[in-house]
């Protein structure tokens, strides 16, 4: 029995499917928990808690809540850069991870130095810009 569990846990699809299941469980909780209202059972951004500033992903929870309720305009207002750049990239990479895992292959994207530098630069500019503009 332990050998079968160990073999299943080491299958390339185990990690992406586990992440997908955890994300679905989180989405079920978030669907009924409005992060726009105070007093909800949601974790606060540690960066915001320590500094009072918005990190590049601040607003992501509100954005996902708004998307699940069909309010794209409010989602854009919560975090425009993450909605326009991060969501499509995350969906693509997640889809590839699950697809390759189900085919029995491990998926390890390698963006390269240029793409990594561009992504980090855009993230830093977005994080600084959103705090300067308010």
């Amino acid at each position: 029995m332990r050998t079968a569990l160990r073999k299943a846990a080491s299958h390339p699809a185990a990690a992406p499917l586990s992440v997908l299941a955890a994300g679905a469980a989180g989405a079920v909780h978030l669907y009924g928990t409005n992060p726009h209202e105070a007093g909800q059972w949601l974790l606060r951004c540690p960066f915001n808690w320590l500094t009072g500033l918005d990190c590049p992903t601040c607003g992501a929870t509100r954005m996902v809540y708004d998307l699940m309720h069909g309010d794209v305009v409010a989602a854009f207002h919560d975090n425009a850069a993450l909605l326009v750049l991060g969501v499509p990239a995350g969906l693509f990479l997640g889809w590839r991870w699950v697809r390759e895992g189900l085919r029995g292959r491990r998926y390890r994207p390698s963006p390269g130095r240029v793409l990594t530098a561009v992504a980090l630069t855009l993230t830093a500019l977005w994080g600084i810009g959103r705090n300067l503009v308010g």
Side-chain angles (χ1 to χ4, degrees), residues 12-13 16 88-110:
L91 288 173
F92 174 75
L93 291 171
W95 170 75
R96 289 281 311 265
W97 192 27
V98 170
R99 187 185 75 174
E100 294 301 318
L102 291 174
R103 291 179 173 176
R105 299 187 296 239
R106 301 204 184 277
Y107 178 61
R108 292 187 178 97
S110 55

Side-chain angles (χ1 to χ4, degrees), residues 109-124:
S110 55
R113 288 183 178 178
V114 173
L115 186 57
T116 301
V118 168
L120 290 174
T121 301
L122 289 175
T123 301

Side-chain angles (χ1 to χ4, degrees), residues 1-10:
M1 179 68 173
R2 287 182 187 235
T3 306
L5 287 175
R6 195 173 299 137
K7 185 176 180 180
S10 67

Side-chain angles (χ1 to χ4, degrees), residues 6-84:
R6 195 173 299 137
K7 185 176 180 180
S10 67
H11 190 277
L17 292 177
S18 297
V19 169
L20 194 60
V28 167
H29 172 70
L30 183 59
Y31 189 83
T33 307
N34 189 347
H36 296 286
E37 297 175 0
Q40 300 296 325
W41 193 78
L42 293 167
L43 298 175
R44 183 171 176 198
C45 171
F47 183 81
N48 180 268
W49 178 73
L50 285 171
T51 66
L53 300 171
D54 289 337
C55 76
T57 61
C58 276
T61 304
R62 294 186 307 273
M63 180 194 74
V64 171
Y65 175 85
D66 291 334
L67 285 176
M68 287 193 302
H69 288 82
D71 194 347
V72 178
V73 173
F76 186 83
H77 181 265
D78 293 330
N79 194 322
L82 190 59
L83 179 65
V84 173

